[in-house]
Amino acid sequence: MESPRYFVYKFLFPTIVLRHNQPEVICRDKLQTKPAMALTSRPLLLIFILTLSVPFVISDFSTAIGGRNAASAGGWQPINNLKAPEVQETAQFAVKEHNKQANTKLKFQSVVRGETQVVSGTNYRLILAARDGTVSGDYEAIVWVKPWLRYRNLTSFKEV
């Protein structure tokens, strides 16, 4: 006679044992073995499917509160609120940094439109209005931001 094979899955209480592919519940307090009638393949399948669906639910929830589309990560997404503080600060940083690098005296006016791209951080591609003395113009600035490191880098700045 072949020795029985046991697969034990320990939960808080009780212990579930699979003996010859038949689930049994071992009650620790009575040390008795009872057949696990409630444990069938359907609840296990349901638990398995729910476990696999958790990342998708979390992804949809973050999309709802963050406004980003997880399906298009890596692509450019339009910025809905151009007056958001992080967008305004990023645009002002771009003008100041360009002034340092090019030795110019542009004055930031407003953000005309913008897009974001999720990378290791966020790329902002902003079309902004700035004034050089009395002459106003539109400029495209690309700024790479890693807020958790307090890092910003002006990648590109050109007149449009």
Side-chain angles (χ1 to χ4, degrees), residues 42-102:
R42 285 187 181 167
L44 288 176
L45 181 61
L46 181 63
I47 291 170
F48 179 71
I49 290 172
L50 289 174
T51 303
L52 290 178
S53 65
V54 167
F56 298 108
V57 171
I58 291 172
S59 168
D60 289 343
F61 181 70
S62 67
T63 300
I65 61 172
R68 293 187 192 230
N69 187 353
S72 62
W76 289 97
Q77 296 297 313
I79 298 173
N80 296 328
N81 184 7
L82 297 176
K83 298 202 183 283
E86 66 271 8
V87 175
Q88 294 294 313
E89 290 169 9
T90 303
Q92 290 172 2
F93 167 80
V95 172
K96 286 180 187 175
E97 192 64 24
H98 173 71
N99 285 340
K100 284 184 202 173
Q101 293 175 5

